[in-house]
Amino acid sequence: MNWNTQFADRTALSRRSAVRELLKLTAQPDMISFAGGLPAPELFPVEAIKAAANEVLTEIGGPALQYGETEGVGALRDWVAAQFSRARFTVRRENVVIVSGAQQGLDLLGRVLLNDGDLVAVENPTYLALLGAWRPLGMRFLPVPSDAEGMDVDALEALLAQRPKLVYTIPTFQNPQGTSMSLARRIKLAGLLGAGRVALLEDNPYGELRYSGEALPHLFELTAQAGADGRLQSPVIYSGTFSKVLAPGMRIGWLVADEAVIDKVVMLKQSADLHTSTLNQYITLALLRDGVIERQLPRLRAAYRERRDTMLTGMERHFPDGVTWTRPDGGLFLMVTLPARMDAADVLKRAIAEHVAFVPGEDFHLQGGANTFRLNFSNAQPERIAHGIERLGALLHRMV
Amino acid sequence: MNWNTQFADRTALSRRSAVRELLKLTAQPDMISFAGGLPAPELFPVEAIKAAANEVLTEIGGPALQYGETEGVGALRDWVAAQFSRARFTVRRENVVIVSGAQQGLDLLGRVLLNDGDLVAVENPTYLALLGAWRPLGMRFLPVPSDAEGMDVDALEALLAQRPKLVYTIPTFQNPQGTSMSLARRIKLAGLLGAGRVALLEDNPYGELRYSGEALPHLFELTAQAGADGRLQSPVIYSGTFSKVLAPGMRIGWLVADEAVIDKVVMLKQSADLHTSTLNQYITLALLRDGVIERQLPRLRAAYRERRDTMLTGMERHFPDGVTWTRPDGGLFLMVTLPARMDAADVLKRAIAEHVAFVPGEDFHLQGGANTFRLNFSNAQPERIAHGIERLGALLHRMV
């Protein structure tokens, strides 16, 4: 059987993610890796998860290991719903589906919403694995410029003439830039959404990881309202995850949206994986009830703030003139821009020889970006960050 | 935002699974449910899983909760590879991908293999959630008759003139019929596969649950071979799961196939959910190393054999003439055929009023089947099975 002739045409639209493949390359212990987007495993609440697993298996037992409803464990959906409710509107269990990591939510939504040829407006650059997940659907991306204040909403408004079906954005501590959409732009964008001019998927994996600056409202909370029948009406679909605040290995995320959207997502999820791990949903619920997130967040913010500051300080000191970078208030990433004539992939080859790694920015872009690269600051101790940035700075001095 | 006008055309090809929706209906405690396909939660190795979770979190700690490779945990892939290797050929880690339950493997394979309009030959009837997962791809199913000896391989051979891209079969203890493909048919089918006439997906979730009769070889082992370069060459893709032998709530399954197939599946899985829960993979690995499956299998077989026998004995005693049923050697299900003029959906309505539930067979069929229904015997104690079958028999006596 020659399997190479057997694959569906759409598989030709798939590409391997450069990030995932690089993770393998950079796993050597002597490599200082700013590639990948891993949270720090030494900060995971391992003892709390061990206690929660023990509690769940002792108190719930068999049912915590049984098949479950596709929508997710009811009490976990209720917890999410309560987090997102406001005085002006109520999010109900029916507005929430638990997914097998936020990535699954993105994959399911693409399949539920997008026809061949549909347009989706995204920041340029944006999350690589969203591009990868949706490209095989035959849809097209419409790049919207993005700067230190996030997506350029005026530019987006002009692009609405092309009638995109959806806007996808990570408004807070964006991957790969680490930048956030300003309050003024959020309010203007909420106006476009509220006027029914377009729908939006708000992806917010990093929002809780703020190290400086003031908290900003979700696009979801700016636009959701109660319908005449009391049901949630929202032009925004919100994607969240416990991966960055608890641990990614449990693969628990969620979507919040109008019931009509949740209903279609659930129907597809049933075919995609029946349901998300019952055991991990119950463990997560036990962690939430025990207040583990509230205890984790100050620890995570303090540790990641120090790592971000170490990286930014090192860059100020060691990076040559002509190289610029973002200064994020939170999240896991920042983005470096080299002089326009330079190619970050060339820099990476030489950096790896010096045992420093990062991800070139081109794959995150729909246009340009060959002279950019992404640095992750969450998964190395400050002294290693300082050391790696110094080496990288020395290399850049030789190359710029 | 009127979301109802926003969905992709393919969502119209999705239907809610009757089984999953019925699970909710029949969850009332006074219902004797032969619907669903749940293993018995009182038989799950809860204490062993608790010990394994504790061991994994103590000995591995943070890395067991971190993001992982899309392909799955290497040692778990190696375990699967070793199970499937034979003297004639070696299955390597590269031939295995860990998936988030066997259902995910089916979803990913459909997307990797099938173009709009492609034909897939399946037993009539077959697994409902395979039909549901693949229909939105715009492919078409080619029904192959199936009897007490499984798929009619002569009928399949005749249908090969229509050039199906793939055959999908559950050769052992099929869902919904409980029947198995005979050795003679397996050998004939292996000949068709070996001659390169068609490729096949062998779905084997129930194979270890044999209560009577002799073990039969997988289609995979009958057809796989070592290529000139020593790599596995197989016209069969094998889908397996720990859901029925350990516990389904961990959502751990696997695919075994040629590297070219695994490669494409991994690329798509990266977009679909990044990877399967690291924690659950490590827990599963610890259970395998501790010999838990070997200890579970005799317990499961003894308990399910008693339940099957109780059901069959009750049917002999209480079901009226004109009603026939399969007599499976294993698995979780058997199938009942009513006189041709009867509709199982009508029977279900009256059965629910008497607090007995089952799944009508029509949705499992591509043709006919309105006079059939599926009974599950794994998830009720023998006395409840006896009671439920007696009630159902009394109802059938009034209706036939």
Side-chain angles (χ1 to χ4, degrees):
Chain A
M1 184 57 50
N2 178 5
W3 285 103
N4 288 314
T5 61
Q6 299 288 308
F7 299 119
D9 299 336
R10 75 181 75 79
T11 65
L13 300 172
S14 282
R15 306 191 224 165
R16 270 188 187 279
S17 150
V19 178
R20 303 287 307 176
E21 296 305 306
L22 271 169
L23 277 178
K24 295 179 194 173
L25 242 180
T26 62
Q28 306 156 39
D30 60 341
M31 183 72 72
I32 298 180
S33 178
F34 304 128
L38 303 184
E42 71 274 17
L43 299 175
F44 293 159
V46 176
E47 289 305 316
I49 292 173
K50 196 194 294 183
N54 193 68
E55 180 190 322
V56 162
L57 290 167
T58 302
E59 291 177 12
I60 306 177
L65 297 163
Q66 183 60 287
Y67 286 111
E69 288 187 12
T70 303
E71 293 85 342
V73 168
L76 186 57
R77 296 167 71 202
D78 289 343
W79 184 91
V80 173
Q83 295 290 310
F84 284 83
S85 290
R86 296 291 181 272
R88 217 173 61 251
F89 59 87
T90 302
V91 178
R92 296 191 174 79
R93 182 186 287 199
E94 292 69 26
N95 300 116
V96 179
V97 57
I98 304 299
V99 290
S100 303
Q103 182 69 31
Q104 186 188 40
L106 303 182
D107 178 57
L108 296 176
L109 282 171
R111 294 158 74 187
V112 157
L113 290 170
L114 302 176
N115 282 318
D116 214 22
D118 276 347
L119 285 173
V120 175
V122 299
E123 287 149 283
N124 184 45
T126 193
Y127 177 49
L128 192 55
L130 183 279
L131 301 176
W134 288 6
R135 272 200 184 103
L137 298 168
M139 49 68 66
R140 286 174 300 139
F141 289 105
L142 203 55
V144 186
S146 178
D147 59 28
E149 289 186 47
M151 179 182 272
D152 180 337
V153 177
D154 290 330
L156 173 68
E157 188 176 14
L159 288 167
L160 293 184
Q162 296 184 48
R163 304 194 65 81
K165 191 169 207 176
L166 194 68
V167 179
Y168 167 81
T169 179
I170 308 173
T172 308
F173 317 136
Q174 199 237 28
N175 181 357
Q177 300 177 107
T179 46
S180 295
M181 190 184 294
S182 64
L183 182 60
R185 287 192 185 173
R186 283 174 198 241
I187 290 169
K188 163 137 197 188
L189 179 52
L192 298 177
L193 297 166
R197 296 191 52 194
V198 68
L200 184 139
L201 169 54
E202 178 172 32
D203 189 7
N204 191 19
Y206 316 111
E208 298 286 350
L209 300 177
R210 174 175 289 280
Y211 322 129
S212 53
E214 301 261 318
L216 292 161
H218 306 149
L219 294 165
F220 175 81
E221 65 186 310
L222 289 176
T223 56
Q225 53 185 4
D229 56 0
R231 293 185 184 195
L232 178 75
Q233 288 187 346
S234 170
V236 172
I237 301 169
Y238 184 99
S239 166
T241 176
F242 295 109
S243 290
K244 308 304 187 288
V245 295
L246 290 173
M250 292 195 289
R251 312 303 303 124
I252 306 287
W254 69 83
L255 297 173
V256 178
D258 278 23
E259 278 177 54
V261 175
I262 298 299
D263 195 58
K264 290 286 186 193
V265 169
V266 167
M267 199 155 67
L268 180 57
K269 181 171 166 62
Q270 191 171 284
S271 292
D273 69 355
L274 298 184
H275 62 87
T276 294
S277 167
T278 330
L279 178 61
N280 294 352
Q281 289 186 72
Y282 278 113
I283 290 174
T284 300
L285 190 59
L287 294 168
L288 297 174
R289 286 177 173 162
D290 294 347
V292 174
I293 288 189
E294 287 78 0
R295 289 199 294 284
Q296 273 297 100
L297 280 176
R299 288 181 68 208
L300 295 173
R301 288 174 185 145
Y304 292 158
R305 179 187 295 117
E306 184 188 3
R307 293 174 190 200
R308 176 201 63 173
D309 291 345
T310 302
M311 184 170 276
L312 288 172
T313 304
M315 293 168 78
E316 293 290 352
R317 189 170 306 159
H318 299 293
F319 277 21
D321 287 346
V323 177
T324 60
W325 53 89
T326 59
R327 286 167 180 79
D329 281 323
L332 307 182
F333 306 108
L334 59 81
M335 189 145 218
V336 178
T337 302
L338 300 166
R341 63 183 160 73
M342 288 184 70
D343 185 336
D346 293 338
V347 180
L348 177 62
K349 275 177 221 142
R350 292 180 60 177
I352 284 177
E354 314 233 357
H355 302 280
V356 186
F358 55 77
V359 185
E362 189 163 21
D363 285 351
F364 298 93
H365 286 77
L366 294 155
Q367 295 170 341
N371 63 325
T372 66
F373 60 89
R374 188 189 74 176
L375 295 178
N376 166 262
F377 52 78
S378 59
N379 192 27
Q381 298 289 341
E383 50 275 33
R384 278 175 72 84
I385 292 176
H387 196 175
I389 290 296
E390 189 175 346
R391 277 196 229 165
L392 193 52
L395 173 64
L396 289 175
H397 268 286
R398 296 197 297 277
M399 292 183 76
V400 168
Chain B
M1 184 56 51
N2 179 6
W3 286 103
N4 288 314
T5 62
Q6 299 288 310
F7 299 119
D9 299 338
R10 75 181 75 79
T11 65
L13 299 172
S14 282
R15 306 191 224 165
R16 275 192 182 277
S17 149
V19 178
R20 303 286 307 173
E21 296 304 305
L22 272 169
L23 276 178
K24 295 179 192 173
L25 242 180
T26 63
Q28 306 155 41
D30 60 341
M31 183 74 71
I32 298 180
S33 178
F34 304 128
L38 303 184
E42 70 274 17
L43 300 175
F44 293 158
V46 176
E47 289 306 315
I49 292 174
K50 196 193 297 182
N54 193 69
E55 180 190 323
V56 162
L57 289 168
T58 302
E59 291 178 12
I60 305 177
L65 297 163
Q66 184 60 289
Y67 285 111
E69 287 187 13
T70 303
E71 293 84 342
V73 168
L76 186 56
R77 297 167 72 201
D78 289 344
W79 184 90
V80 172
Q83 295 289 311
F84 284 81
S85 290
R86 297 289 181 272
R88 214 172 63 251
F89 59 86
T90 302
V91 178
R92 295 189 175 81
R93 182 186 288 200
E94 292 69 27
N95 300 115
V96 179
V97 57
I98 305 298
V99 289
S100 304
Q103 181 70 30
Q104 187 189 38
L106 303 181
D107 178 56
L108 295 175
L109 283 171
R111 294 159 74 187
V112 157
L113 290 170
L114 302 176
N115 281 319
D116 213 23
D118 276 348
L119 285 173
V120 175
V122 299
E123 288 149 285
N124 185 44
T126 193
Y127 177 49
L128 191 55
L130 183 280
L131 301 176
W134 288 6
R135 273 199 184 104
L137 297 168
M139 49 69 66
R140 286 174 301 140
F141 289 105
L142 203 55
V144 186
S146 179
D147 59 28
E149 289 185 47
M151 179 182 271
D152 180 337
V153 177
D154 290 329
L156 172 68
E157 188 176 15
L159 288 168
L160 293 184
Q162 296 184 47
R163 305 194 64 81
K165 190 168 208 176
L166 194 69
V167 179
Y168 167 81
T169 179
I170 307 172
T172 307
F173 317 137
Q174 199 238 28
N175 181 357
Q177 301 177 107
T179 47
S180 295
M181 191 184 292
S182 65
L183 182 59
R185 287 193 184 172
R186 284 174 197 242
I187 289 168
K188 164 138 197 189
L189 178 53
L192 298 177
L193 297 167
R197 296 190 53 195
V198 69
L200 184 137
L201 169 54
E202 178 173 31
D203 188 7
N204 192 21
Y206 316 110
E208 298 286 352
L209 300 177
R210 176 174 286 281
Y211 322 129
S212 53
E214 301 262 318
L216 292 161
H218 307 148
L219 294 164
F220 174 81
E221 66 186 309
L222 288 175
T223 57
Q225 54 187 2
D229 57 0
R231 293 185 183 195
L232 178 75
Q233 289 187 345
S234 170
V236 172
I237 300 170
Y238 184 99
S239 167
T241 176
F242 295 109
S243 290
K244 308 303 187 289
V245 295
L246 290 173
M250 291 195 289
R251 311 304 304 125
I252 306 286
W254 68 83
L255 297 173
V256 177
D258 279 22
E259 278 177 55
V261 176
I262 298 298
D263 195 57
K264 291 284 187 195
V265 169
V266 167
M267 199 154 65
L268 181 56
K269 180 171 166 63
Q270 190 171 282
S271 293
D273 68 354
L274 299 183
H275 63 86
T276 294
S277 166
T278 330
L279 178 61
N280 294 352
Q281 289 186 71
Y282 279 112
I283 290 175
T284 300
L285 190 59
L287 293 169
L288 296 173
R289 286 177 173 161
D290 294 347
V292 174
I293 289 187
E294 288 77 359
R295 290 200 294 283
Q296 273 296 99
L297 280 177
R299 287 181 70 208
L300 295 173
R301 288 174 185 145
Y304 293 157
R305 180 187 295 117
E306 184 188 4
R307 294 172 190 201
R308 175 200 64 173
D309 291 346
T310 302
M311 184 170 275
L312 288 171
T313 304
M315 293 167 78
E316 293 289 352
R317 188 169 308 158
H318 299 293
F319 277 20
D321 286 348
V323 176
T324 60
W325 54 90
T326 59
R327 285 167 180 79
D329 281 323
L332 308 181
F333 305 108
L334 60 80
M335 190 146 215
V336 177
T337 302
L338 301 166
R341 64 180 161 74
M342 287 182 70
D343 185 337
D346 293 338
V347 180
L348 176 61
K349 275 176 222 145
R350 291 180 58 176
I352 284 177
E354 315 232 354
H355 302 279
V356 186
F358 54 77
V359 185
E362 189 164 22
D363 285 349
F364 298 92
H365 286 76
L366 294 154
Q367 296 170 340
N371 63 326
T372 66
F373 60 89
R374 188 189 75 175
L375 295 178
N376 165 263
F377 52 77
S378 59
N379 191 28
Q381 298 289 341
E383 50 275 33
R384 279 175 71 83
I385 292 176
H387 195 174
I389 291 295
E390 188 174 346
R391 277 195 229 164
L392 193 52
L395 173 66
L396 289 174
H397 268 286
R398 296 197 298 276
M399 293 184 73
V400 168

